[in-house]
Amino acid sequence: MAENNDFDITDLEKTFDKATKYVQTVASELDSEQLLNLYSMYKQATVGPCNISKPNWYQVQAKQKWEAWKSLGEMDQETAMNNYICALTKINPTWETDVATESRAWTTVSRLPNTEKELLDTDKTFLDWVKEGHKEKVQEILLKNSTLTNILDEDGLLPIHWAADRGHVAIIEYLIQHGANVNSRDIDGQTPLHYAASCGHVDVIRYLLSVGAESMEDNDGMKPKDVADEKVVAIL
Protein backbone atom coordinates (compact mmCIF):
# COMPACT_ATOMS: atom_id res chain seq x y z
CA MET A 1 0.00 0.00 0.00
CA ALA A 2 1.20 3.53 -0.73
CA GLU A 3 2.71 5.32 2.26
CA ASN A 4 0.20 8.17 2.21
CA ASN A 5 -2.83 5.93 2.79
CA ASP A 6 -4.54 6.47 6.12
CA PHE A 7 -5.13 2.79 6.94
CA ASP A 8 -3.14 -0.40 6.76
CA ILE A 9 -4.53 -2.82 4.22
CA THR A 10 -6.58 -4.91 6.68
CA ASP A 11 -8.23 -1.91 8.32
CA LEU A 12 -8.73 -0.29 4.93
CA GLU A 13 -10.66 -3.25 3.57
CA LYS A 14 -12.82 -3.48 6.68
CA THR A 15 -13.62 0.23 6.63
CA PHE A 16 -14.31 0.17 2.89
CA ASP A 17 -16.72 -2.73 3.34
CA LYS A 18 -18.59 -0.83 6.06
CA ALA A 19 -18.65 2.29 3.90
CA THR A 20 -20.15 0.53 0.88
CA LYS A 21 -22.85 -1.02 3.03
CA TYR A 22 -23.67 2.32 4.60
CA VAL A 23 -23.93 4.03 1.19
CA GLN A 24 -26.56 1.51 0.10
CA THR A 25 -28.82 2.58 2.96
CA VAL A 26 -28.54 6.31 2.19
CA ALA A 27 -28.30 6.20 -1.61
CA SER A 28 -31.74 7.77 -2.04
CA GLU A 29 -30.53 10.83 -0.12
CA LEU A 30 -27.51 11.44 -2.38
CA ASP A 31 -27.50 13.37 -5.64
CA SER A 32 -26.51 11.83 -8.96
CA GLU A 33 -23.03 13.40 -8.96
CA GLN A 34 -22.21 11.94 -5.54
CA LEU A 35 -23.52 8.54 -6.58
CA LEU A 36 -21.50 8.52 -9.80
CA ASN A 37 -18.35 9.42 -7.90
CA LEU A 38 -18.88 6.68 -5.35
CA TYR A 39 -19.84 4.16 -8.03
CA SER A 40 -16.67 4.76 -10.05
CA MET A 41 -14.42 4.38 -7.00
CA TYR A 42 -16.30 1.27 -5.91
CA LYS A 43 -15.69 -0.36 -9.29
CA GLN A 44 -12.04 0.72 -9.30
CA ALA A 45 -11.57 -0.66 -5.79
CA THR A 46 -13.27 -4.00 -6.38
CA VAL A 47 -12.45 -4.69 -10.03
CA GLY A 48 -9.53 -2.43 -10.90
CA PRO A 49 -9.19 -0.17 -13.96
CA CYS A 50 -12.20 -0.15 -16.29
CA ASN A 51 -12.14 -3.43 -18.19
CA ILE A 52 -15.33 -3.23 -20.24
CA SER A 53 -16.01 -1.66 -23.62
CA LYS A 54 -17.90 1.58 -23.97
CA PRO A 55 -21.61 0.76 -24.31
CA ASN A 56 -22.30 0.11 -27.98
CA TRP A 57 -25.93 1.20 -27.72
CA TYR A 58 -26.84 4.45 -26.16
CA GLN A 59 -28.15 4.61 -22.62
CA VAL A 60 -27.47 7.73 -20.63
CA GLN A 61 -26.81 6.09 -17.29
CA ALA A 62 -24.66 3.32 -18.75
CA LYS A 63 -22.54 5.88 -20.55
CA GLN A 64 -22.18 8.09 -17.47
CA LYS A 65 -21.17 5.15 -15.29
CA TRP A 66 -18.65 3.89 -17.84
CA GLU A 67 -17.09 7.33 -18.29
CA ALA A 68 -16.84 7.90 -14.53
CA TRP A 69 -15.07 4.57 -14.01
CA LYS A 70 -12.86 4.98 -17.08
CA SER A 71 -11.77 8.44 -15.89
CA LEU A 72 -9.95 6.88 -12.91
CA GLY A 73 -7.39 5.41 -15.28
CA GLU A 74 -4.82 3.16 -13.61
CA MET A 75 -5.59 4.22 -10.04
CA ASP A 76 -4.69 1.31 -7.76
CA GLN A 77 -7.39 -0.44 -5.77
CA GLU A 78 -6.17 0.65 -2.35
CA THR A 79 -6.18 4.30 -3.37
CA ALA A 80 -9.69 3.87 -4.75
CA MET A 81 -10.85 2.36 -1.44
CA ASN A 82 -9.28 5.19 0.50
CA ASN A 83 -10.80 7.80 -1.82
CA TYR A 84 -14.22 6.16 -1.50
CA ILE A 85 -14.02 6.36 2.29
CA CYS A 86 -12.84 9.98 2.16
CA ALA A 87 -15.65 10.92 -0.24
CA LEU A 88 -18.25 9.38 2.06
CA THR A 89 -16.71 11.11 5.08
CA LYS A 90 -16.95 14.42 3.26
CA ILE A 91 -20.65 13.77 2.62
CA ASN A 92 -21.33 12.60 6.17
CA PRO A 93 -18.50 13.01 8.70
CA THR A 94 -20.38 10.90 11.26
CA TRP A 95 -21.15 7.90 9.06
CA GLU A 96 -18.97 5.52 11.09
CA THR A 97 -20.79 6.53 14.26
CA ASP A 98 -24.10 5.97 12.49
CA VAL A 99 -22.98 2.46 11.50
CA ALA A 100 -21.90 1.67 15.05
CA THR A 101 -25.14 2.84 16.62
CA GLU A 102 -27.69 1.50 14.17
CA SER A 103 -28.58 -2.10 13.41
CA ARG A 104 -29.45 -2.58 9.76
CA ALA A 105 -29.48 -5.27 7.10
CA TRP A 106 -26.62 -4.33 4.81
CA THR A 107 -26.21 -4.92 1.09
CA THR A 108 -23.02 -3.94 -0.72
CA VAL A 109 -23.56 -1.25 -3.35
CA SER A 110 -22.61 -2.50 -6.79
CA ARG A 111 -24.52 -0.33 -9.21
CA LEU A 112 -25.75 3.22 -9.56
CA PRO A 113 -29.40 3.73 -8.56
CA ASN A 114 -31.65 5.55 -11.00
CA THR A 115 -31.48 8.86 -9.16
CA GLU A 116 -31.66 12.39 -10.55
CA LYS A 117 -31.71 15.71 -8.77
CA GLU A 118 -35.24 16.87 -8.05
CA LEU A 119 -36.16 20.07 -9.83
CA LEU A 120 -38.76 22.68 -9.03
CA ASP A 121 -41.55 22.78 -11.60
CA THR A 122 -40.50 26.29 -12.56
CA ASP A 123 -37.01 25.03 -13.45
CA LYS A 124 -38.11 22.07 -15.57
CA THR A 125 -37.56 22.03 -19.31
CA PHE A 126 -39.61 20.34 -22.00
CA LEU A 127 -37.35 17.30 -21.79
CA ASP A 128 -37.77 17.13 -18.02
CA TRP A 129 -41.53 16.85 -18.49
CA VAL A 130 -41.02 14.21 -21.20
CA LYS A 131 -38.78 12.16 -18.89
CA GLU A 132 -41.36 12.35 -16.11
CA GLY A 133 -44.16 11.29 -18.44
CA HIS A 134 -46.24 14.39 -17.71
CA LYS A 135 -48.52 14.39 -20.74
CA GLU A 136 -50.42 17.57 -19.88
CA LYS A 137 -47.26 19.68 -19.63
CA VAL A 138 -45.82 18.12 -22.79
CA GLN A 139 -49.05 18.95 -24.63
CA GLU A 140 -49.09 22.49 -23.27
CA ILE A 141 -45.52 23.19 -24.37
CA LEU A 142 -45.83 21.58 -27.81
CA LEU A 143 -48.96 23.58 -28.58
CA LYS A 144 -46.78 26.66 -28.22
CA ASN A 145 -43.69 25.28 -29.95
CA SER A 146 -44.06 22.04 -31.91
CA THR A 147 -40.49 22.23 -33.23
CA LEU A 148 -39.24 20.91 -29.88
CA THR A 149 -40.32 17.45 -31.02
CA ASN A 150 -37.39 17.19 -33.43
CA ILE A 151 -34.57 18.97 -31.58
CA LEU A 152 -31.62 16.86 -30.43
CA ASP A 153 -30.46 17.50 -26.89
CA GLU A 154 -26.84 17.81 -25.74
CA ASP A 155 -26.59 14.01 -25.51
CA GLY A 156 -27.73 13.55 -29.09
CA LEU A 157 -31.22 12.26 -28.23
CA LEU A 158 -34.64 13.36 -29.36
CA PRO A 159 -37.61 13.59 -26.99
CA ILE A 160 -39.03 10.34 -28.41
CA HIS A 161 -35.84 8.51 -27.40
CA TRP A 162 -36.21 9.73 -23.83
CA ALA A 163 -39.89 8.75 -23.75
CA ALA A 164 -39.05 5.26 -25.05
CA ASP A 165 -36.23 4.92 -22.52
CA ARG A 166 -38.56 5.82 -19.65
CA GLY A 167 -41.49 3.74 -20.91
CA HIS A 168 -44.01 6.54 -21.50
CA VAL A 169 -46.37 5.26 -24.21
CA ALA A 170 -48.75 8.22 -23.98
CA ILE A 171 -45.91 10.70 -24.45
CA ILE A 172 -44.59 8.78 -27.46
CA GLU A 173 -48.04 8.76 -29.03
CA TYR A 174 -48.39 12.50 -28.56
CA LEU A 175 -44.89 13.22 -29.90
CA ILE A 176 -45.64 11.20 -33.03
CA GLN A 177 -48.88 13.12 -33.50
CA HIS A 178 -46.78 16.27 -33.46
CA GLY A 179 -44.23 15.20 -36.04
CA ALA A 180 -41.83 12.82 -34.31
CA ASN A 181 -40.52 10.04 -36.56
CA VAL A 182 -41.05 6.61 -35.05
CA ASN A 183 -37.76 5.51 -36.66
CA SER A 184 -35.77 8.61 -35.75
CA ARG A 185 -32.12 8.01 -34.88
CA ASP A 186 -29.94 9.44 -32.14
CA ILE A 187 -26.26 10.27 -32.72
CA ASP A 188 -25.35 6.58 -32.36
CA GLY A 189 -27.98 5.44 -34.81
CA GLN A 190 -30.38 4.05 -32.22
CA THR A 191 -34.10 4.31 -32.75
CA PRO A 192 -36.81 4.52 -30.09
CA LEU A 193 -37.24 0.76 -30.56
CA HIS A 194 -33.62 0.22 -29.46
CA TYR A 195 -34.31 2.12 -26.25
CA ALA A 196 -37.58 0.37 -25.48
CA ALA A 197 -36.07 -3.03 -26.24
CA SER A 198 -33.00 -2.51 -24.07
CA CYS A 199 -35.17 -1.41 -21.14
CA GLY A 200 -37.75 -4.17 -21.55
CA HIS A 201 -40.72 -1.85 -22.00
CA VAL A 202 -43.24 -4.26 -23.51
CA ASP A 203 -46.06 -1.75 -23.96
CA VAL A 204 -43.76 0.72 -25.68
CA ILE A 205 -42.38 -1.92 -28.03
CA ARG A 206 -45.83 -3.10 -29.04
CA TYR A 207 -47.01 0.45 -29.65
CA LEU A 208 -43.94 1.38 -31.70
CA LEU A 209 -44.31 -1.73 -33.84
CA SER A 210 -48.01 -0.96 -34.34
CA VAL A 211 -47.19 2.46 -35.80
CA GLY A 212 -44.44 1.32 -38.14
CA ALA A 213 -41.24 1.01 -36.10
CA GLU A 214 -38.62 -0.92 -38.07
CA SER A 215 -35.88 -3.22 -36.83
CA MET A 216 -32.97 -1.07 -37.98
CA GLU A 217 -29.25 -1.40 -37.30
CA ASP A 218 -27.50 1.28 -35.27
CA ASN A 219 -24.02 2.61 -36.04
CA ASP A 220 -22.49 -0.55 -34.58
CA GLY A 221 -24.68 -2.88 -36.59
CA MET A 222 -26.93 -3.72 -33.62
CA LYS A 223 -30.66 -4.23 -34.11
CA PRO A 224 -33.18 -3.74 -31.30
CA LYS A 225 -33.33 -7.50 -30.66
CA ASP A 226 -29.53 -7.55 -30.22
CA VAL A 227 -29.72 -5.16 -27.25
CA ALA A 228 -33.08 -6.31 -25.93
CA ASP A 229 -33.89 -7.39 -22.43
CA GLU A 230 -34.42 -11.15 -22.67
CA LYS A 231 -38.07 -10.88 -21.66
CA VAL A 232 -38.95 -8.93 -24.83
CA VAL A 233 -36.84 -10.65 -27.50
CA ALA A 234 -39.76 -12.82 -28.59
CA ILE A 235 -41.94 -9.86 -29.61
CA LEU A 236 -39.28 -8.14 -31.74
Side-chain angles (χ1 to χ4, degrees), residues 74-214:
E74 297 299 317
M75 178 186 291
D76 65 78
Q77 290 174 280
E78 293 172 35
T79 299
M81 287 185 195
N82 202 21
N83 288 353
Y84 185 103
I85 294 164
C86 290
L88 177 56
T89 302
K90 184 177 181 180
I91 295 170
N92 178 12
T94 66
W95 74 267
E96 288 189 90
T97 301
D98 295 344
V99 169
T101 57
E102 296 183 21
S103 176
R104 301 182 180 185
W106 304 108
T107 303
T108 301
V109 61
S110 61
R111 61 188 178 86
L112 180 68
N114 186 16
T115 304
E116 295 181 351
K117 292 181 180 179
E118 185 175 351
L119 297 173
L120 297 174
D121 284 357
T122 53
D123 295 329
K124 291 177 182 177
T125 66
F126 174 64
L127 279 179
D128 292 322
W129 293 117
V130 169
K131 293 174 188 178
E132 291 183 9
H134 199 300
K135 185 177 179 180
E136 289 75 17
K137 289 298 293 187
V138 170
Q139 290 176 329
E140 177 186 331
I141 294 171
L142 282 183
L143 286 174
K144 297 176 181 177
N145 185 3
S146 62
T147 63
L148 292 172
T149 299
N150 294 307
I151 295 179
L152 289 169
D153 69 2
E154 60 184 6
D155 294 309
L157 284 75
L158 291 165
I160 194 171
H161 294 118
W162 279 108
D165 180 79
R166 299 300 170 89
H168 301 318
V169 177
I171 299 296
I172 295 171
E173 183 177 4
Y174 195 73
L175 289 170
I176 291 174
Q177 290 172 3
H178 284 74
N181 182 350
V182 68
N183 292 309
S184 57
R185 296 175 179 269
D186 67 5
I187 59 172
D188 292 321
Q190 279 97 35
T191 65
L193 194 56
H194 281 92
Y195 283 80
S198 68
C199 296
H201 296 315
V202 175
D203 291 346
V204 175
I205 293 170
R206 286 178 174 157
Y207 174 74
L208 291 172
L209 291 173
S210 74
V211 294
E214 300 175 13

